[in-house]
Amino acid sequence: MKKLISFTISLFLSTSLFISCTTDVGDDINQLTARGKTMTDEWNNVTNFILNCYADIAFKLNHHIEDKDLDTEERQIMQHTNDGIWNVYENGELVFSVNTHGQPLDSIGSQWELTSYAYYSDFGLRQDDFTVNFIITCIDTHSWNIYSINKDIPEYFFDVNMSCNDTPHTLINYAFKLSGKGNLSIRSYENYDYYSQYYYYEDTRNSPYYPYIEEYIDLHFETETTLHRTYYYWSKGIINIIAQNREEETSSTRAEFNRKSSSEYITIITYGGITEDWYSYYYY
């Protein structure tokens, strides 16, 4: 029996999710499971966006603290204030404040508190004071819990466990295993390119991190076991997704991730009783 990695996702989606079609390299626009692929892509995109726009700065800062000679990004300045609190500036503006409590991020039991002032996509996690807050806890060797809740709208939260082979310097372009749950508000996008190698959205008409907003759609997901991810995409695991839009129309899909070679990935989508293969190719 195949090992099952399952998700239960409740989505209150705009009707467009049920009629839109998303294709990648190698996809046939006539495939009948395109709606299921769209649902899978929405989950994939929001998860990676949160990890790499918010949680990633904690791992960069941890590496910066451990290696005093480390050069940070040209646009990024990390300054220690007092009592283990660090401020991170980008292009001269304060974008993150991190309370490390004077402990390394990879010390079991350590807990870092991250406050984001940046206007990245917040998926419902931004509070009335315009901040997005995360708690990152080292729960085991090279394993962390990443948690955020909107205290003003507590139904929105993100709670994920992540494990790596070692302590990463950055989560961008990094392999990890993932399990968790959350209730998030995601948005419809038009005219954007998704750069898988960086894991963030880029609007073709605007700068990175500022996607074109259409409307909100709610997302809930819960994992039973872990997923595996490589440098580019998910390499192992199965997710089951149930979606419901505002008209109370329900839709479900099953997605199985497999890595066929160093550059070829396949997502087996089962939707409406039909099973089809979706191929993605990543060259480097």
Side-chain angles (χ1 to χ4, degrees):
M1 178 181 291
K2 295 183 179 179
K3 184 178 180 181
L4 177 65
I5 296 180
S6 102
F7 284 78
T8 301
I9 302 181
S10 297
L11 296 154
F12 294 91
L13 302 170
S14 62
T15 305
S16 62
L17 179 61
F18 293 84
I19 61 176
S20 61
C21 176
T22 300
T23 59
D24 292 331
V25 176
D27 291 338
D28 180 352
I29 62 174
N30 295 316
Q31 285 186 291
L32 301 177
T33 59
R35 296 175 186 177
K37 182 62 162 55
T38 297
M39 293 162 63
T40 304
D41 288 344
E42 292 287 4
W43 167 82
N44 171 66
N45 292 343
V46 71
T47 300
N48 287 314
F49 197 106
I50 287 179
L51 291 178
N52 292 289
C53 283
Y54 292 103
D56 179 62
I57 194 64
F59 292 91
K60 288 182 178 178
L61 176 59
N62 184 67
H63 187 45
H64 174 75
I65 294 172
E66 291 182 345
D67 188 348
K68 302 298 183 182
D69 297 325
L70 173 69
D71 292 328
T72 58
E73 297 179 26
E74 183 177 347
R75 64 187 178 91
Q76 205 168 71
I77 297 176
M78 299 180 176
Q79 291 183 347
H80 183 232
T81 58
N82 54 62
D83 298 329
I85 297 176
W86 288 75
N87 287 334
V88 180
Y89 297 84
E90 291 183 357
N91 302 319
E93 294 186 5
L94 177 65
V95 288
F96 295 102
S97 179
V98 185
N99 189 345
T100 69
H101 297 283
Q103 297 179 313
L105 186 59
D106 52 4
S107 175
I108 297 177
S110 65
Q111 188 173 89
W112 285 22
E113 299 173 12
L114 170 71
T115 299
S116 172
Y117 308 97
Y119 270 87
Y120 305 149
S121 291
D122 55 74
F123 305 104
L125 299 174
R126 191 173 304 279
Q127 299 177 170
D128 289 347
D129 62 359
F130 302 106
T131 64
V132 178
N133 299 280
F134 282 85
I135 296 176
I136 303 176
T137 305
C138 183
I139 55 177
D140 203 345
T141 303
H142 303 146
S143 297
W144 295 267
N145 173 260
I146 300 169
Y147 178 77
S148 178
I149 190 170
N150 185 334
K151 293 181 180 179
D152 300 307
I153 313 177
E155 59 265 32
Y156 291 131
F157 72 95
F158 182 80
D159 187 359
V160 163
N161 291 338
M162 181 192 70
S163 61
C164 307
N165 292 329
D166 53 21
T167 302
H169 299 166
T170 175
L171 297 181
I172 297 175
N173 294 341
Y174 200 86
F176 51 81
K177 300 177 183 178
L178 191 69
S179 65
K181 57 185 177 180
N183 191 67
L184 301 164
S185 178
I186 62 177
R187 298 158 177 173
S188 297
Y189 296 88
E190 287 187 355
N191 301 320
Y192 71 81
D193 290 328
Y194 179 67
Y195 287 76
S196 60
Q197 67 269 35
Y198 296 115
Y199 305 146
Y200 60 68
Y201 295 105
E202 179 173 337
D203 187 350
T204 56
R205 296 161 296 177
N206 298 292
S207 59
Y209 303 116
Y210 292 89
Y212 180 73
I213 299 172
E214 284 284 304
E215 58 183 310
Y216 280 96
I217 45 181
D218 296 330
L219 165 69
H220 175 77
F221 71 91
E222 183 175 358
T223 71
E224 294 182 358
T225 53
T226 59
L227 287 173
H228 297 246
R229 188 178 181 101
T230 67
Y231 185 90
Y232 289 107
Y233 195 62
W234 302 104
S235 61
K236 182 180 180 182
I238 300 172
I239 64 173
N240 294 291
I241 305 170
I242 299 175
Q244 185 181 57
N245 64 10
R246 292 188 178 94
E247 286 71 35
E248 297 186 355
E249 298 169 329
T250 59
S251 184
S252 62
T253 190
R254 180 181 188 270
E256 179 178 353
F257 300 112
N258 290 286
R259 186 185 187 188
K260 293 301 183 181
S261 67
S262 60
S263 61
E264 182 181 7
Y265 292 74
I266 180 173
T267 306
I268 305 172
I269 299 290
T270 300
Y271 178 85
I274 300 172
T275 299
E276 295 177 323
D277 297 346
W278 292 71
Y279 292 87
S280 299
Y281 300 89
Y282 301 96
Y283 299 102
Y284 51 92

